[in-house]
């Protein structure tokens, strides 16, 4: 390969960085490795070229010398002797299975060869449903809740081993939690059957927790409910979930808030709605009504004469507080005119007298409706 350029051998340009060089080498090495091409002399020669080229270009000093002088930089007795198995390649210059295993390790997260895999497992998150009243959501409060959960075992300090002993590294997987087997060109990885993936063996399990490292227990917690909390609000208590296993961190506790139905008010965000029944005499003559508010006071509202059902009055700042503390919403009152019942004889007489002197101007909406209806009937009979 006297006339072959190392960059051309790997199929990269002269500005390629280390990552591009390594990627190109891996791809070509897997393609032309003798283990994958048994008895193919051309593939073996090609693999030697690839190995020699990468051995030079991956070393910054060798690459700088090659870029300046070409192969002449290495012709003074310091040659490579053919390159096959003679260089310190990333994959150890070994078998095709070694190359595949190295790539498999990086795909699975890197740093797996020769090191113990952590067997710690984070605890599960917990959910707690908390129902509160609208008044509590308005003012905010501190609620004490009891949560069934698991906590770290005190006698063994969460290790799962009997006090005075320690978990041992699994001899089958050497603490990796996985075992591998080569099948032809492929590397198969499966959970270690001895330690079941933990990487550790507990010869003497803790009697208090049975080797689990945690025990079931009810835990009482105080939860601060902020003013303005709404239906579906989620409150996170970090580290208050289930204890982790084998020294792992605990999970979190999530509290989901729901609101009890209120007998008077309905809520939409920071706005409260209230339907207020008003007597026919009040809306006809005008007057004043009092309505309760969530702050514990009563608000007075003037009702103009002639107010109709469905009329709304907005009371500023009498609604729900904003969860972010930006102020209070409004209270919207919707008027419903109440038809009187259980009339006395005198009341009926007065209403009858009123009916006799009605001219239609007192109820313009009903007068107009029936006028339009009369016209519709006449059109249908023509």
């Amino acid at each position: 390969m006297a006339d072959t350029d190392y960059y051309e051998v790997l199929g990269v340009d002269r500005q390629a960085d280390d990552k591009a060089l390594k990627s190109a080498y891996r791809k070509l090495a897997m393609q032309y490795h003798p283990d994958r091409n048994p008895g193919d002399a051309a593939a073996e020669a090609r693999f030697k070229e690839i190995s020699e080229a990468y051995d030079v270009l991956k070393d910054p000093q060798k690459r700088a010398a090659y870029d300046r002088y070409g192969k002449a930089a290495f012709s003074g007795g310091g040659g490579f002797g053919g390159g096959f198995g003679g260089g310190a390649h990333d994959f150890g210059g070994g078998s095709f299975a070694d190359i595949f295993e190295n790539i498999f390790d990086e795909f699975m997260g890197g740093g797996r060869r020769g090191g113990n895999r952590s067997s710690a497992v984070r605890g599960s998150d917990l959910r707690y449903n908390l129902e509160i009243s609208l008044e509590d959501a308005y003012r905010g409060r501190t609620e004490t809740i009891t949560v069934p959960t698991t906590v770290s075992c005190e006698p063994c300090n969460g290790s799962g081993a009997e006090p005075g002993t320690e978990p041992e590294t699994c001899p089958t997987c050497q603490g990796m939690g996985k075992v591998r087997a080569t099948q032809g060109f492929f590397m198969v990885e499966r959970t270690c059957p001895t330690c079941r993936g933990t990487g550790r063996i507990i010869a003497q399990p803790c009697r208090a927790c049975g080797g689990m490292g945690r025990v079931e227990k009810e835990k009482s917690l105080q939860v601060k409910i902020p003013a303005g909390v709404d239906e579906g609000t989620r409150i996170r208590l970090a580290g208050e979930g289930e204890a982790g296993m084998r020294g792992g961190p605990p999970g979190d506790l999530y509290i989901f808030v729901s609101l009890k139905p209120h007998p008077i008010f309905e809520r939409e965000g920071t706005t409260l709605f209230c339907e207020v029944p008003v007597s026919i005499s009040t809306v006809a003559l005008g007057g004043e009504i009092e309505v309760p508010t969530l702050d514990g006071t009563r608000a007075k509202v003037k009702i103009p004469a002639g107010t109709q059902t469905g009329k709304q009055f907005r009371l500023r700042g009498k609604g729900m507080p904003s969860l972010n503390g930006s102020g209070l919403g409004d209270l919207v009152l919707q008027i419903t005119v109440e038809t009187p019942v259980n009339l006395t004889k005198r009341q009926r007489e007065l209403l009858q007298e009123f009916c006799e002197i009605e001219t239609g101007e007192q109820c313009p909406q009903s007068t107009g409706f029936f006028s339009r209806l009369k016209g519709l009937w006449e059109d249908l009979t023509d």
Side-chain angles (χ1 to χ4, degrees):
M1 58 181 284
D3 298 325
T4 305
D5 183 271
Y6 286 154
Y7 291 101
E8 293 179 1
V9 171
L10 296 180
V12 298
D13 58 42
R14 304 188 74 84
Q15 287 73 41
D17 57 15
D18 292 342
K19 183 178 180 180
L21 288 172
K22 183 179 292 186
S23 176
Y25 170 67
R26 286 175 176 168
K27 180 179 179 182
L28 293 171
M30 291 184 67
Q31 181 179 355
Y32 292 102
H33 198 286
D35 286 358
R36 197 172 188 181
N37 303 274
D40 190 337
E44 181 176 340
R46 177 67 170 143
F47 182 78
K48 291 179 180 180
E49 290 181 342
I50 296 165
S51 300
E52 181 178 329
Y54 182 65
D55 193 53
V56 171
L57 298 182
K58 73 183 181 68
D59 186 298
Q61 294 182 350
K62 291 181 180 180
R63 182 176 181 179
Y66 175 76
D67 289 343
R68 186 170 184 179
Y69 302 107
K71 294 183 181 179
F74 313 106
S75 61
F80 300 96
F84 179 59
H89 312 301
D90 264 15
F91 305 116
S95 67
F96 175 76
D98 292 332
I99 296 175
F100 187 87
E101 182 177 8
N102 187 289
I103 295 174
F104 182 80
D105 283 337
E106 292 204 1
F107 175 77
M108 294 300 291
R112 294 171 58 96
R113 299 182 68 180
N116 288 339
R117 185 179 66 91
S118 173
S119 61
V121 179
R122 180 182 181 274
S124 299
D125 294 333
L126 295 177
R127 171 174 178 151
Y128 187 93
N129 296 324
L130 179 62
E131 187 179 51
I132 63 174
S133 67
L134 188 62
E135 287 81 1
D136 289 337
Y138 178 86
R139 293 185 294 266
R141 62 172 297 175
T142 298
E143 182 80 12
T144 300
I145 62 174
T146 301
V147 182
T149 183
T150 59
V151 297
S152 180
C153 177
E154 293 183 3
C156 68
N157 198 27
S159 70
E162 185 68 15
T165 67
E166 293 290 339
E168 302 172 358
T169 300
C170 175
T172 302
C173 64
Q174 301 301 317
M176 296 292 293
K178 301 285 185 179
V179 292
R180 295 175 179 176
T182 302
Q183 296 182 358
F185 296 136
F186 300 98
M187 181 70 64
V188 178
E189 182 178 85
R190 60 189 178 90
T191 301
C192 176
T194 303
C195 65
R196 298 183 180 180
T198 65
R200 305 187 308 171
I201 294 178
I202 301 176
Q204 300 182 46
C206 173
R207 285 173 288 183
C209 64
M212 296 299 294
R214 57 184 186 176
V215 294
E216 294 184 358
K217 184 179 180 181
E218 286 193 341
K219 183 165 51 175
S220 294
L221 298 169
Q222 285 193 332
V223 183
K224 184 177 181 181
I225 308 299
V229 69
D230 204 347
E231 179 81 21
T233 297
R234 187 181 69 172
I235 301 173
R236 172 175 173 262
L237 298 183
E240 296 295 350
E242 288 192 342
M245 295 182 63
R246 297 179 293 278
D252 299 330
L253 172 63
Y254 291 91
I255 298 174
F256 287 79
V257 178
S258 61
L259 301 183
K260 299 176 184 178
H262 197 275
I264 297 177
F265 299 110
E266 292 186 3
R267 177 182 181 180
E268 289 185 11
T270 59
T271 303
L272 291 176
F273 293 87
C274 179
E275 189 173 282
V276 183
V278 182
S279 68
I280 191 171
S281 59
T282 301
V283 296
L285 302 176
E288 188 176 78
I289 61 173
E290 284 189 346
V291 293
T293 61
L294 283 181
D295 62 9
T297 63
R298 289 181 173 271
K300 293 183 178 182
V301 181
K302 290 185 177 181
I303 305 298
T307 295
Q308 303 295 317
T309 291
K311 173 69 176 178
Q312 290 185 342
F313 297 89
R314 182 176 293 269
L315 304 183
R316 302 289 182 183
K318 294 297 183 180
M320 294 294 295
S322 175
L323 190 58
N324 59 17
S326 61
L328 295 168
D330 300 333
L331 171 60
V332 177
L333 306 177
Q334 180 165 304
I335 300 301
T336 299
V337 179
E338 185 177 14
T339 302
V341 295
N342 301 322
L343 298 175
T344 65
K345 181 180 179 180
R346 177 56 180 159
Q347 289 170 335
R348 294 180 64 86
E349 290 174 352
L350 291 174
L351 283 177
Q352 184 64 40
E353 183 180 345
F354 175 77
C355 289
E356 292 172 356
I357 61 176
E358 272 189 302
T359 62
E361 296 180 357
Q362 293 78 22
C363 301
Q365 292 185 16
S366 60
T367 301
F369 172 78
F370 286 110
S371 296
R372 292 191 297 273
L373 189 59
K374 181 180 179 182
L376 176 62
W377 285 336
E378 291 175 352
D379 291 340
L380 293 175
T381 56
D382 288 344

